[in-house]
Amino acid sequence: MRLLIISDTHIPRRARTLPDQVLAEVERADVVVHAGDWCDLDSFTDLQARARRLIGVHGNNDGPDLRARLPEVARAEVEGVRLAVVHEIGPAAGREKRMAERFGDVDVLVFGHSHIPWDTTAPTGLRLLNPGSPTDRRRQPHHTYLTATAADGRLRDVRLHRVDRR
């Protein structure tokens, strides 16, 4: 099962729409995971209509309309992989330990907020993933997103992609 993992799209503040490259990934994905900061209800409803399955949360920049539709934390199982999604998880210092304690019942935690791509594994085995942002790189060198596959209870082929901004 193919996953597309995105966050911090900030539409329409940072882009009018998702980049074509990301929209093509939506079409290929079995599951789209969005870790918050949509900023626009239309971008949520558009992605919801395009995605086969959407797992998403609201972020700190999302207003009441999005908060009414999306949880702060989402939990799902994808091909046996126990997944949690949350937008904001605090400072980088001590992150793995803190999140392993808070999300000890899942295999993978997807988060956003920082716009900084992140892929680490806590000593407990919890994998932490942040896809960066496909539309607002802030101080990062590139706009980014992640893809992965899930099968037999394992997340495989996790890959960070640069968005071609031509």
Side-chain angles (χ1 to χ4, degrees):
M1 186 162 291
R2 185 172 172 86
L3 284 77
L4 167 63
I5 304 169
I6 59 176
S7 186
D8 297 283
T9 48
H10 292 271
I11 295 171
R13 296 177 190 165
R14 296 295 179 202
R16 290 187 182 272
T17 64
L18 287 173
D20 290 343
Q21 180 181 345
V22 176
L23 291 174
E25 291 286 357
V26 171
E27 297 301 319
R28 287 190 286 271
D30 298 298
V31 179
V32 176
V33 178
H34 192 299
D37 273 5
W38 310 72
C39 297
D40 176 20
L41 182 60
D42 288 342
S43 64
F44 164 72
T45 57
D46 180 58
L47 191 58
Q48 187 177 42
R50 291 174 185 262
R52 289 184 187 99
R53 179 180 179 192
L54 177 63
I55 302 167
V57 298
H58 66 75
N60 61 298
N61 283 298
D62 295 327
D65 52 351
L66 286 161
R67 289 172 184 262
R69 289 169 175 80
L70 293 161
E72 181 179 355
V73 176
R75 292 172 183 269
E77 188 169 307
V78 177
E79 292 294 311
V81 177
R82 298 169 303 161
L83 180 74
V85 185
V86 65
H87 182 64
E88 193 171 353
I89 62 172
R95 177 174 287 155
E96 288 88 355
K97 182 178 187 293
R98 254 189 352 269
M99 294 303 102
E101 290 170 359
R102 182 174 172 196
F103 294 98
D105 61 333
V106 300
D107 304 307
V108 178
L109 174 65
V110 175
F111 65 99
H113 189 62
S114 69
H115 299 220
I116 300 170
W118 189 281
D119 182 355
T120 58
T121 302
T124 62
L126 173 68
R127 189 155 186 188
L128 290 91
L129 297 174
N130 185 324
S133 172
T135 57
D136 184 11
R137 64 183 177 87
R138 287 192 184 160
R139 292 173 295 280
Q140 299 305 301
H142 307 285
H143 298 91
T144 58
Y145 63 93
L146 289 168
T147 58
T149 57
D152 302 320
R154 298 185 56 97
L155 194 67
R156 299 184 168 118
D157 307 316
V158 176
R159 188 167 159 223
L160 181 68
H161 301 266
R162 294 180 183 178
V163 175
D164 181 6
R165 301 298 290 185
R166 288 186 233 174

